[in-house]
Amino acid sequence: MKRINDSAPTKVDALYKQIWRELFSLMLEDRKRFHSRCSLASLLDFLERIADHATNIGESVVYLVTGRRPDLN
């Protein structure tokens, strides 16, 4: 069985924070597009949550196959 990349959740979290910072600065720069950028921020939150769920599913699969409980978070 292929080993799960333990750094994947950390990479997703770092990317999430970076994009959020950039998006927030864009929101402050151009108030005319504030609403559309808020929508992008919501989408970003949803994608980050999906990544968290995928990590939890991966942990469950590893447990079912090996009987070990990895902590990927």
Side-chain angles (χ1 to χ4, degrees):
M1 185 168 100
K2 186 176 179 180
R3 181 163 167 75
I4 293 176
N5 185 351
D6 294 344
S7 66
T10 306
K11 290 178 183 177
V12 170
D13 290 339
L15 185 59
Y16 169 80
K17 289 175 186 175
Q18 176 190 348
I19 293 172
W20 231 114
R21 280 192 301 268
E22 291 177 20
L23 191 55
F24 187 71
S25 67
L26 289 172
M27 289 169 142
L28 295 176
E29 287 175 12
D30 186 1
R31 303 254 181 204
K32 292 178 183 176
R33 295 184 182 172
F34 187 83
H35 180 73
S36 63
R37 291 188 174 139
C38 281
S39 296
L40 285 173
S42 293
L43 178 64
L44 181 62
D45 287 339
F46 295 142
L47 290 173
E48 197 271 339
R49 192 68 193 126
I50 290 169
D52 287 343
H53 286 302
T55 299
N56 293 340
I57 291 169
E59 288 176 345
S60 295
V61 169
V62 169
Y63 177 73
L64 288 171
V65 172
T66 66
R68 292 182 300 112
R69 289 197 175 272
D71 183 19
L72 300 178
N73 289 324

